[in-house]
Structures are given as C-alpha cells and as structure tokens.
Amino acid sequence: MSSANNPVAAPEVAISIRNVITHYGKREVLHGINLDIHRGETMVILGGSGSGKSTLIRHIVGLEKVTSGEIFIGGKNIVSLKEKEFNEIRRKIGMSFQGSALFNSMTIGDNVALPLREHTELEESTIRIMTRIKLESVGLAGFENYLPSQLSGGMKKRAGVARALAMDPEILLFDEPSAGLDPVIAAGVDDLITKLKSAFHMTIVVVTHELASAFLIADRITVLDKGYLIATGTRDEVKNSSHPRVRQFLDRVPDSDAGGSEAYLDSLLT
C-alpha cells in the first residue's frame, strides 16, 4: 500500500509515441497518436481492418516513416535519427511478422541464425548453440534442419518468434500473431507470448484484432479506430468502456452505414 510519504513510482516508459501523423499519399491514416508503452508490459494494440494498428507498429521498428510527430525508444527520437544510429536501437527490437517472413530456401536453424551472422562477430559454434537455445525456447527443439515448407503454420509462427529472439531484444513486436491459425494453435501462440514475457522480462507489443487473444495476454490494451486512438487502459478498463466505437468492436456490432471499416480500408488501398 502506498502513502503520501511513499508514493508508487511511475512506470518506466520503453516507447513513447507523440503526436504521430501519417499519410498514404494525400490521405491521413494516423491522426495525432499519443501513447506510452511501459517497460516490461505487454501492450496489445487492438482494432479492425484499416484501423492503423499495423502502420503504427511498422513505425516503431522503422519500416515506415511518419509524416510528423516523434517516437522515443530508449530516450532517443528515432524519427530524427540517421539510419546508422537507428540500427543500433533496432538491434534491441525483435519483430515477429504476420506471415512469419521466413526464407524458404534456408533451414529453420539458418533463419534463426541469420541476425547473429549479420550483426555479430560470434564464432559459428556459438551461433549454433544460441540458435538451438532460441528454438528450444519456442518449443522447436530438434527442428533446426527442417525447411519452412516442412512445418505447420503454427510452427512457422514459432520459428519466426525464435528469429525475433535471436539478438536477445529488449522489445518484442508481434504483427497479428494468430492470423491464419486455428483456435487451438492460436491459443498455443498466446501461451508462448505469455511465457516469453515471464521468462525474458521484455516489453511486448502485439497488434491484433482477436478479442480473446487480446484479453488473455495484455497488461494494457490500446484501441485504434480509423486512425484515431480511442481508448487505452487495463483489460478491465477497456472491457468496461462506454465509448460507442469501443463497445461496437467488443460487442461485434456491424456498422449501420453501407461502408464501414471495409470501405475505409478500400479507400486506403485506392
């Protein structure tokens, strides 16, 4: 219990997003996003198709540039950093892509080892040991000599996570980790994310539209709607939100207008 003499310390911020605006062509797709992600928490960015959640996570890892605004990681504004400076920060960030993004011509072991070979001067024997450790941590011990085509969808997801873990990141990003998986396999991926946080004490950011997954793995949830941040809070705070668009998403109520989010997504693509 805290008191006036012993106040609870404010959470340390791992990622701070300030007034981020993004355009695709002339269309604004992120509208002044402000968000702090605390060190060591699992933040789920929740939203439907075209909400801007994947765009936001790509900004964090530097795959897309913002139109304006700031993103601070480790106290440095990555928006204004030169590529060489940002690469130093990027080494502390792991990214698990929606489609796993494995190289089909390489074994699973070589896929996981790739970041270590590219960005370190470790001996090959050490790299092989670290690769086996990462594969074991995601439940793929003994699969280092398999090709991606020989794995199931869930196993490919796990292999992508193992590669994201290769450099022992401080921040781990997931883009739609349950996409394309059946409910049982998706539950296994959710369980893996929870175990990784417990084992490695990383800051984890998960982009998803899966409600069951979000409320299972999140410490806090941020809801995006058509490029606007409309809610941020604990699982219970978001679950009990009275915001009409949050309620519509949580209660799975379709848009009453003819367009809705699908029309918005179409407008982005065109």
Side-chain angles (χ1 to χ4, degrees), residues 94-219:
M95 177 80 176
S96 177
F97 294 91
Q98 181 173 337
S100 301
L102 299 172
F103 292 99
N104 292 326
S105 61
M106 299 169 61
T107 66
I108 297 305
D110 285 336
N111 268 281
V112 175
L114 184 61
L116 296 169
R117 290 173 177 150
E118 290 287 325
H119 301 296
T120 75
E121 297 180 358
L122 294 171
E123 295 287 340
E124 183 62 27
S125 59
T126 302
I127 290 176
R128 287 196 296 269
I129 292 170
M130 293 181 68
T131 297
R132 287 197 294 270
I133 291 172
K134 300 308 180 187
L135 286 170
E136 185 175 350
S137 72
V138 300
L140 289 179
F143 284 89
E144 56 263 33
N145 294 321
Y146 283 64
L147 291 171
S149 60
Q150 296 174 298
L151 301 187
S152 67
M155 294 170 77
K156 289 179 184 177
K157 291 277 188 180
R158 288 173 177 267
V161 174
R163 186 177 60 188
L165 292 171
M167 298 286 289
D168 294 321
E170 297 175 8
I171 297 170
L172 186 57
L173 310 177
F174 288 87
D175 189 6
E176 297 285 3
S178 302
L181 302 179
D182 69 53
V184 174
I185 301 300
V189 174
D190 290 341
D191 184 60
L192 173 62
I193 293 172
T194 302
K195 288 179 178 177
L196 288 174
K197 180 196 170 187
S198 175
F200 295 104
H201 307 290
M202 294 177 293
T203 303
I204 296 178
V205 183
V206 181
V207 161
T208 187
H209 64 275
E210 299 284 350
L211 294 176
S213 177
F215 285 106
L216 178 66
I217 65 177
D219 293 310

Side-chain angles (χ1 to χ4, degrees), residues 15-90:
I15 304 169
S16 183
I17 299 165
R18 289 286 168 264
N19 301 312
V20 164
I21 295 173
T22 302
H23 289 82
Y24 289 160
K26 295 182 179 180
R27 183 175 296 277
E28 187 172 293
V29 295
L30 290 179
H31 314 293
I33 302 296
N34 287 281
L35 178 64
D36 284 340
I37 298 170
H38 302 152
R39 188 170 302 281
E41 77 171 339
T42 298
M43 169 66 81
V44 169
I45 301 176
L46 189 63
S49 298
S51 62
K53 58 189 187 297
S54 290
T55 298
L56 185 59
I57 203 172
R58 287 196 294 269
H59 287 326
I60 294 172
V61 79
L63 294 177
E64 290 187 11
K65 299 294 185 182
V66 305
T67 303
S68 63
E70 299 171 313
I71 300 176
F72 293 92
I73 299 177
K76 294 184 178 180
N77 179 16
I78 65 171
V79 172
S80 60
L81 289 180
K82 295 181 179 179
E83 189 67 17
K84 184 177 180 180
E85 295 174 299
F86 183 46
N87 281 338
E88 292 300 314
I89 293 176
R90 191 181 273 128

